[in-house]
Amino acid sequence: MSYETVIGLEVHAQLLTATKIFCACSTRFGAAPNENSCPVCLGQPGALPVLNKKVVDYAIRAGLAIGCTIAKKSIFARKNYFYPDLPKGYQISQYELPICTGGAISITVNGEKKTIRLTRIHMEEDAGKLLHEHPTTRSKEASWVDLNRAGVPLIEIVSEPDLRSAEEAVAYLKTLRSILMYLDICDGNMEEGSLRCDANISLKPSGAEKLGTKVEIKNMNSFRHIEKAIAYEVQRQEEALQEGGKIVQETRLWNPEKEVTVPMRSKEEAHDYRYFPDPDLLPLLIEDSWVTAMHQHLPELPTAKRDRFISEHQLSPVDAETLTSSRDLANYYEACVKVYPDAKKVSNWILTELLRELNNSGRSIKQCPIKPERLAGLLQLIDQGTISGKIAKTVFLEMYKTGEPADKIVSRQGLTQVSDTGALEKMIETIIAANPKETERYRAGNEKLIAFFVGQVMKETQGKANPQLINEILRKKLKP
Amino acid sequence: MTLHSLTLHEIHEKLRKREVSSVELTQAVLKQIAKTEDKIHAFITLTEELALAQAKQADDLIQKNKGASPNNFAPLTGIPIALKDIFLMKGTRTTCGSRILSNYVAPYTATSVDNLLKDHAVIIGKLNMDEFAMGSSNETSHFGICHNPWDLKRIPGGSSGGSAAAVAAGDCFGATGTDTGGSIRLPAAFCNLVGIKPTYGRVSRYGVIAFASSLDQVGPLAKDVTDCAILLKALAGHDPRDSTSLNLPVPDYTASLTKDVRGMTIGIPKEYFVEGLDPEIEKAVRTAIDHYQKLGAKIIKVSLPHTTCAVPTYYILAPAEASSNLARYDGIRYGFRHPEARTLLELYTKSRTEGFGPEVKRRIMLGTYVLSAGYYDAYYLKAQKARTLIRNDFEEAFKQCDLLLTPVAPTAAWKIGEKTDDPLKMYLSDIFTINVNLAGLPAMSLPCGFTKGGLGESPLGEPPLPIGMQLIGNHFKEETIFRAAFAYEQANEWHQRRPAL
C-alpha cells in the first residue's frame, strides 16, 4: 500500500523586544545566569505580570504579514505544569482566543507553488533553562536553574496539516523565517534557539480522508535536523505500517548523533495542562486603529519584493528568489541598483562574485566589506571603459579584501585599460608579423583564430587592453 | 484611657499636639503586645527593632515640621500598624501562615505596604492568618490558632483573624487584611471592628501573596469608620505593576464622613434573612435598619435571586485559581524544601506534602479537579456563568438603591474546634460575604450590636460577643458606604466597646 505523509508544524519564534513579555527585565542573550531577573519572572510570591505592548505590536505585524485575522479580543491563559525551569508552575500563553487566526504562506518546492494554511499565531512567555553542569565549577553533582530566558516573549505559529514532505516542511520554515526577519521581529538565529520547531507527523493510505495517528517531534533547531528527523520519522512510520504495525500517539525527540527519533512520552503520560484564563491579566482588546498603525509600518515582504524584482527589474524568478531570501541581501541589491540601474548586471555580480566571497569567508551580507555604492562604482568603471570585465574581477577581490573603492585600487595598481589606438595598432602589427602561419590560416577562412590573436594582445598588455578595440583593429589588419 | 485603646485618628491628634511621641507610642503598643500575645497569638513575626527605628524617623519628621506648618504630616505618620502576613515587606519574613514559606524573607515590598511606608507609618509586625488565607476561623495557620480577644475560647474569624485580634486587643491602631470571600469582614464582625473590602482593583495586589486572583482584594481593619477611611485612602491607588488595578483617582474618604443619609435608598435583600440566621444577629441587624430609617434613609426590599449559587460558585473558582497560584511553591527556588528528597518528583511531592496543611491541600485538589480536561466545562465554565448571573443580580439591585444592608455572618464567633471537622459547615459561614467578591463590589463590616452572652461552661458565663452588619455598595462607591457607616456610627456606641483583657 502507498501512504501519504501529513505534516503540521508548530514554530516558536523569539521576539526581538528589548524587555520580557510581562516585566521590564532585559532579553539580552548571553548574560550571566539569573542576571536578567526580577520578582515577576522569578515567580516570587505576590508578583504580577504586566503585558509588554511591544510584544502585541510584533504579534500583530506577524499576523498581518501572513494574512491572519487579528482578534479584537484575545485572552491570556495559564498552562499549568511542574518543571524546575518554570518558576510560576504555569506558563502564560494563549489558548482559546489567540491574537491571530487563519492566514497562509506560499512556498515553492521543485518549481511548484503551494499554499500552506495557518491555524493561529499566539503569544506566550518562554521558560527558563536547566544547567546540568555548573557554569563556573563544571560540577555535575546537581542541576542549576537559569531563569534569564524565563519570560522572554515568543510567538507560536501553528500550521494546518498541509505539508506533505520533509522538503515542504523545510521550505515552509525557510519562508516563515525570512518573513519574520523581514518584519524585524525575530533574528531567526536557530542556534541560539530564536526559532524552534515541533513537527506533527502522520501517515494515511493515499487518497484516504481520515488522518492517521500522529507523532510529535519536539524542539528541533536547524533546517538539517528538521529535514532529517521528518524524513526518518516518515520512513519509520511507513515501515511499521507496511509490516502491519500500528503507530502509537506519542511525543518523540530527535537524536542528532544517532540520527533517529526516540520516544519521550506517550499519550497516557501526556500533560493535562488545565488551561484557564489568567485572572491576573485582563482580556487584550485591540482597536482597529492599532491594527491600522501596524499595517502602515509593514515593510515589503519577500514574496512581494520578489515579484517586483521580476516585473520591474526583469530578473529571472530564480535570481529574484535568491536576492529576496534575506531582507539584508535584498536591501543591498536595491542600494546598488539605486546608483547603478542595470539590474541584471548588479544581480549577476551579487549572485556570483559577492555571494561566493561571502560564503568563502563565512560572512553575512551585513558584514560585507564592500558597500553597495562601491560595488556600483566598480560596474561604472567597466562601462566607462576604464577597466575590462576581466580586470574588474581582480579589482573586486581587492575591494573585498580592503574595502577600498574601485577607482583607488585601479589607479594604485595601474590597471587602467589600454585604449590608445595607435599603440594597439603597432602592437597588433608586430603580433601579425610574428605569427605568419596563423595569419595565413585566418585569412584562408578559419575565423576562430581571432581568439588566438586577442589572447596574444591581452598577454602583451597584461589584460589591460580594451577587448572591443582589439577586435576592431585585428579584423581590420587581418583582412586579406 | 490608656494609649493602646485609642483610635488612630485620636492618636494622630496627640502626635500633632506633641502629647506623645511615636517612640513612646510604639513602646506602649509593644508593651500591650507583650501582655496579650500569650493569650491571643495575633502575631507570627514581631518587627520590634524596625518599628522603633521607623518611630524614631517619624518623630524626627514631626519635629522638623514644627516650624512653618507644624501639623503638615500624614495621618498615619508615626502610628503603629501591623500587616497580615500575606503582605511582602523587603527583608522581613513573610509566611502566609504556611510551613512552606516559614523561612521566606521577602525580596521586595508590596505596593500597598509601600504606600503606608510613604506616609511614615510604623510597622510593628506580621499578623497571624489562615494558611494562604484559606479558612474562616484562623485555625489553619501553621503557626497556631489566634484567639478572639472578646472570648479567648473562640476564634477571631478568618482569614485576617490575626489582623482583627491585634487591632481589637490594642496591639496596633490599624491592620491590613485581604478579603477573598469575606476574610476582612468576618473577623471585623467577630472582633467588633470596622473592615472594608474595597472594589476589586482599588488597592494593588502587587506583593500580596495570591490566593484566588480574581477575588482577592486588600483592605484595612480599624477601630472605627474614620480610621478605616484614613487607612483605605493610604492603601489605595493605581499601580502600573498590577494589570487589574483601577486607573482612577482615589477620593478622600474622610471627606465622605458627613453623618447624613437623608435621600439615600438602602436595599434589604430578602435572600439574606433566611433560615440559619441566628435570631440575635437578625434582631441586631433589623434594629440597625430601623435606625437608618430614623436617620432619613429610604428602606426598600430587593431581591438577589442567585444568592444561593454563591457558595458553590466560589468553591469552584477560588480553589481553581488557588491550585494554579500555589504551584510555585515547589521547593525549588525558595521556601521549605524537603531535606530528604532524592529525585525531582520526590522533591515536589515531599516538599508540598509536608509544606502545606490539610485545608490548602483540600483546595488544591479540588481546584486541580475542576480545571481538568473533561471537567472544565461542567465546573469551571459553569461557575463563571453563575458568577455573571450573581453580578447581574447586583447590577439590577443597584438600579433601585444606593446601598445594600445585610448581616455579615449567620452567627457570632464560634468556639475553637467547633467547625474544624466539617469543612462544609465552615464554608457556610461565608454565605453573606462571598457574593460581593464574586461581583467585585465594595463592602464594609461595622459593629451593630452584641449578643446577650450568658451562662456557659465557664464559671463567669459566656461573654457577650460582637455582631456586625454589612453595607454593600456599587462599584467604586466606597464613599457612599463610608457616608452611611459614619452616620450610623455617630448615632451608636457599639464601636467604642473594648474587650476586657
Side-chain angles (χ1 to χ4, degrees):
Chain A
M1 202 195 293
S2 74
Y3 291 94
E4 194 179 355
T5 305
V6 178
I7 304 166
L9 292 183
E10 291 168 21
V11 177
H12 285 90
Q14 181 180 324
L15 298 178
L16 278 172
T17 55
T19 57
K20 293 185 179 180
I21 181 167
F22 296 120
C23 68
C25 285
S26 166
T27 53
R28 195 172 66 85
F29 184 82
N34 297 307
E35 193 179 301
N36 302 336
S37 67
C38 74
V40 176
C41 55
L42 292 180
Q44 288 283 321
L48 296 171
V50 177
L51 179 61
N52 179 351
K53 285 274 172 358
K54 203 92 205 168
V55 173
V56 183
D57 283 354
Y58 286 7
I60 295 175
R61 264 166 105 165
L64 290 175
I66 294 166
C68 305
T69 307
I70 311 298
K72 287 193 186 307
K73 178 183 173 180
S74 69
I75 285 180
F76 286 97
R78 292 185 184 179
K79 181 180 180 179
N80 295 283
Y81 66 94
F82 282 98
Y83 203 68
D85 70 1
L86 189 71
K88 297 186 292 294
Y90 56 83
Q91 178 193 23
I92 304 178
S93 179
Q94 294 195 299
Y95 185 59
E96 274 183 315
L97 290 174
I99 183 157
C100 308
T101 48
I105 286 177
S106 336
I107 57 167
T108 312
V109 176
N110 303 326
E112 236 176 281
K113 222 172 159 181
K114 197 172 167 183
T115 301
I116 310 302
R117 292 168 302 152
L118 259 70
T119 315
R120 61 189 278 164
I121 301 176
H122 70 249
M123 299 175 279
E124 61 184 32
E125 59 179 347
D126 208 343
K129 74 178 180 199
L130 294 182
L131 309 169
H132 300 292
E133 183 182 279
H134 193 277
T136 47
T137 66
R138 300 279 161 228
S139 157
K140 286 184 180 175
E141 66 184 272
S143 294
W144 286 267
V145 184
D146 176 5
L147 296 177
N148 279 346
R149 212 176 60 186
V152 162
L154 304 176
I155 50 174
E156 183 173 329
I157 304 146
V158 184
S159 85
E160 291 283 297
D162 285 353
L163 298 156
R164 290 290 171 272
S165 67
E167 296 77 43
E168 285 187 11
V170 169
Y172 165 84
L173 267 173
K174 284 188 170 161
T175 310
L176 181 59
R177 178 171 177 266
S178 118
I179 291 172
L180 297 174
M181 289 170 71
Y182 262 71
L183 295 171
D184 244 342
I185 62 173
C186 174
D187 66 15
N189 189 332
M190 297 178 84
E191 264 171 42
E192 288 178 6
S194 305
L195 204 71
R196 279 120 62 185
C197 169
D198 303 342
N200 285 300
I201 302 159
S202 65
L203 262 58
K204 63 175 186 182
S206 298
E209 289 259 319
K210 199 169 161 270
L211 293 178
T213 308
K214 71 168 182 188
V215 166
E216 187 183 25
I217 313 177
K218 271 215 157 329
N219 249 330
M220 296 169 288
N221 65 345
S222 89
F223 291 127
R224 209 166 48 87
H225 287 168
I226 289 159
E227 184 152 21
K228 280 190 170 175
I230 294 176
Y232 172 87
E233 185 57 26
V234 168
Q235 201 191 345
R236 186 188 73 86
Q237 290 189 23
E238 191 171 350
E239 278 169 14
L241 291 170
Q242 296 289 12
E243 283 165 22
K246 265 194 172 168
I247 302 299
V248 285
Q249 190 179 328
E250 62 183 351
T251 302
R252 295 174 77 91
L253 285 177
W254 172 246
N255 181 330
E257 277 102 55
K258 294 187 184 153
E259 304 204 328
V260 292
T261 63
V262 288
M264 182 183 164
R265 58 174 176 253
S266 71
K267 187 186 176 187
E268 280 67 38
E269 299 165 87
H271 287 298
D272 178 357
Y273 290 116
R274 305 188 312 280
Y275 281 101
F276 75 105
D278 192 327
D280 288 330
L281 289 160
L282 302 174
L284 173 64
L285 304 175
I286 296 174
E287 288 180 20
D288 293 341
S289 57
W290 193 348
V291 178
T292 311
M294 286 300 113
H295 219 131
Q296 279 160 358
H297 289 112
L298 221 53
E300 187 183 27
L301 291 165
T303 319
K305 221 183 243 304
R306 189 191 61 207
D307 293 348
R308 185 166 59 82
F309 285 181
I310 295 169
S311 65
E312 278 182 17
H313 299 182
Q314 276 84 45
L315 295 185
S316 76
V318 176
D319 289 358
E321 180 83 43
T322 314
L323 284 175
T324 53
S325 64
S326 111
R327 190 185 179 180
D328 292 327
L329 186 61
N331 284 349
Y332 188 94
Y333 160 79
E334 288 198 279
C336 289
V337 173
K338 229 180 196 173
V339 186
Y340 184 85
D342 188 335
K344 187 67 199 163
K345 275 192 192 160
V346 170
S347 141
N348 280 345
W349 272 82
I350 292 176
L351 293 176
T352 52
E353 305 300 316
L354 187 64
L355 286 188
R356 185 193 63 230
E357 286 314 305
L358 288 172
N359 262 335
N360 288 348
S361 55
R363 284 177 176 161
S364 74
I365 185 75
K366 263 192 159 166
Q367 300 160 315
C368 176
I370 303 177
K371 295 215 171 71
E373 309 78 53
R374 293 196 171 164
L375 182 64
L378 178 68
L379 302 187
Q380 278 165 345
L381 287 186
I382 303 173
D383 280 5
Q384 288 158 8
T386 313
I387 52 171
S388 66
K390 201 175 163 206
I391 290 291
K393 291 187 182 174
T394 319
V395 175
F396 173 84
L397 290 178
E398 191 61 18
M399 287 169 80
Y400 193 86
K401 223 191 284 172
T402 63
E404 286 173 336
D407 50 0
K408 204 174 158 192
I409 293 169
V410 167
S411 69
R412 191 180 66 217
Q413 303 199 349
L415 296 172
T416 312
Q417 188 159 257
V418 178
S419 297
D420 180 339
T421 319
L424 279 177
E425 277 189 359
K426 266 188 194 160
M427 192 187 291
I428 285 169
E429 278 165 13
T430 317
I431 289 170
I432 290 174
N435 296 285
K437 269 189 198 165
E438 282 77 6
T439 310
E440 203 176 315
R441 276 166 62 202
Y442 177 83
R443 287 182 176 154
N446 192 348
E447 290 208 358
K448 277 183 187 166
L449 272 169
I450 192 87
F452 164 77
F453 289 101
V454 173
Q456 291 298 309
V457 180
M458 281 297 181
K459 203 170 152 194
E460 199 71 18
T461 59
Q462 286 157 346
K464 285 185 277 180
N466 183 333
Q468 217 181 326
L469 209 55
I470 301 173
N471 258 295
E472 239 170 67
I473 299 169
L474 270 174
R475 283 181 202 281
K476 201 169 70 190
K477 300 267 174 198
L478 283 171
K479 251 189 193 155
Chain B
M1 215 176 206
T2 44
L3 275 181
H4 62 79
S5 56
L6 296 178
T7 63
L8 193 158
H9 59 94
E10 286 165 345
I11 289 293
H12 178 63
E13 280 307 303
K14 285 195 174 295
L15 285 168
R16 272 178 16 138
K17 292 179 186 155
R18 314 291 192 270
E19 290 173 10
V20 67
S21 74
S22 175
V23 170
E24 283 163 8
L25 196 60
T26 305
Q27 281 162 343
V29 157
L30 287 169
K31 217 168 114 189
Q32 175 69 0
I33 294 171
K35 193 180 128 194
T36 59
E37 188 55 9
D38 273 357
K39 292 185 254 182
I40 295 176
H41 192 36
F43 287 85
I44 291 174
T45 306
L46 270 176
T47 52
E48 209 171 323
E49 266 176 50
L50 173 78
L52 287 166
Q54 287 172 334
K56 178 77 182 43
Q57 268 185 3
D59 280 336
D60 289 349
L61 193 91
I62 293 168
Q63 289 306 316
K64 248 188 246 156
N65 271 319
K66 219 167 182 175
S69 53
N71 300 322
N72 189 19
F73 56 87
L76 291 181
T77 304
I79 295 181
I81 303 291
L83 306 174
K84 183 176 183 177
D85 206 16
I86 199 168
F87 289 80
L88 268 64
M89 184 165 67
K90 194 175 175 173
T92 311
R93 185 170 75 135
T94 302
T95 70
C96 216
S98 183
R99 184 183 182 201
I100 212 152
L101 284 173
S102 53
N103 59 1
Y104 177 69
V105 175
Y108 70 103
T109 301
T111 304
S112 52
V113 175
D114 247 343
N115 290 344
L116 298 178
L117 294 175
K118 262 185 230 147
D119 281 355
H120 299 278
V122 170
I123 307 298
I124 200 99
K126 306 295 290 290
L127 296 160
N128 206 347
M129 58 179 287
D130 277 306
E131 185 180 3
F132 282 101
M134 296 174 190
S136 309
S137 67
N138 219 303
E139 291 165 293
T140 71
S141 168
H142 169 69
F143 299 89
I145 296 165
C146 176
H147 300 256
N148 191 321
W150 292 91
D151 179 355
L152 298 175
K153 295 193 301 296
R154 290 175 191 269
I155 55 97
S159 65
S160 312
S163 304
V167 176
D171 294 344
C172 53
F173 297 96
T176 61
T178 58
D179 191 316
T180 306
S183 288
I184 287 174
R185 291 160 286 156
L186 190 75
F190 287 0
C191 294
N192 204 42
L193 298 173
V194 180
I196 188 165
K197 175 216 123 36
T199 307
Y200 182 78
R202 185 51 101 181
V203 183
S204 168
R205 291 185 294 116
Y206 187 78
V208 181
I209 297 176
F211 159 18
S213 310
S214 77
L215 302 158
D216 294 345
Q217 185 56 202
V218 169
L221 289 105
K223 283 172 185 160
D224 67 8
V225 175
T226 309
D227 285 6
C228 196
I230 291 169
L231 283 163
L232 181 59
K233 163 89 177 141
L235 291 167
H238 175 240
D239 181 5
R241 288 180 295 188
D242 176 355
S243 310
T244 62
S245 165
L246 293 170
N247 197 353
L248 285 175
V250 182
D252 180 1
Y253 298 116
T254 51
S256 332
L257 309 178
T258 61
K259 299 185 194 180
D260 187 12
V261 290
R262 262 171 301 184
M264 204 182 263
T265 306
I266 298 178
I268 311 299
K270 65 173 188 205
E271 290 81 4
Y272 283 64
F273 295 85
V274 287
E275 209 182 332
L277 178 60
D278 185 289
E280 274 193 294
I281 307 268
E282 178 161 5
K283 198 178 152 211
V285 175
R286 290 213 184 271
T287 309
I289 295 170
D290 291 344
H291 200 100
Y292 270 114
Q293 199 154 22
K294 275 180 216 150
L295 290 173
K298 188 180 164 200
I299 306 293
I300 61 163
K301 278 185 193 157
V302 294
S303 172
L304 300 165
H306 296 95
T307 299
T308 48
C309 303
V311 172
T313 300
Y314 177 89
Y315 279 97
I316 287 166
L317 296 181
E321 293 183 20
S323 71
S324 172
N325 281 336
L326 270 55
R328 65 187 64 194
Y329 308 107
D330 57 3
I332 301 280
R333 282 150 291 121
Y334 51 79
F336 171 71
R337 172 185 285 184
H338 200 281
E340 281 157 27
R342 281 162 306 156
T343 65
L344 181 61
L345 185 61
E346 246 181 54
L347 179 63
Y348 288 151
T349 51
K350 287 193 166 173
S351 298
R352 287 169 71 83
T353 301
E354 294 185 22
F356 290 132
E359 182 61 29
V360 172
K361 281 183 211 162
R362 180 153 45 236
R363 297 205 198 188
I364 290 174
M365 294 297 287
L366 194 60
T368 305
Y369 179 80
V370 300
L371 286 176
S372 300
Y375 297 105
Y376 182 88
D377 287 4
Y379 296 106
Y380 184 85
L381 207 60
K382 199 156 223 175
Q384 287 290 32
K385 288 177 182 164
R387 184 177 189 170
T388 305
L389 294 175
I390 291 164
R391 207 174 285 179
N392 293 346
D393 277 2
F394 281 106
E395 213 169 280
E396 283 305 308
F398 283 120
K399 284 179 185 162
Q400 307 163 55
C401 58
D402 303 299
L403 282 177
L404 297 168
L405 196 160
T406 77
V408 177
T411 66
W414 57 87
K415 286 187 179 149
I416 289 166
E418 202 178 314
K419 295 187 184 180
T420 37
D421 295 336
D422 189 349
L424 283 181
K425 209 162 144 193
M426 185 86 86
Y427 295 168
L428 284 173
S429 60
D430 298 331
I431 194 159
F432 299 138
T433 50
I434 276 174
N435 299 269
V436 161
N437 299 79
L438 290 168
L441 297 165
M444 176 187 275
S445 168
L446 73 158
C448 72
F450 276 81
T451 61
K452 274 203 212 71
L455 294 174
E457 304 141 25
S458 136
L460 296 168
E462 300 288 342
L465 296 170
I467 298 171
M469 66 168 160
Q470 176 170 238
L471 293 175
I472 306 168
N474 207 345
H475 290 109
F476 329 121
K477 299 289 187 193
E478 284 86 356
E479 288 165 284
T480 313
I481 297 176
F482 276 116
R483 188 176 137 203
F486 189 69
Y488 177 84
E489 191 182 77
Q490 289 303 296
N492 289 277
E493 288 172 341
W494 308 115
H495 66 286
Q496 288 169 7
R497 294 204 193 177
R498 302 281 182 265
L501 275 165

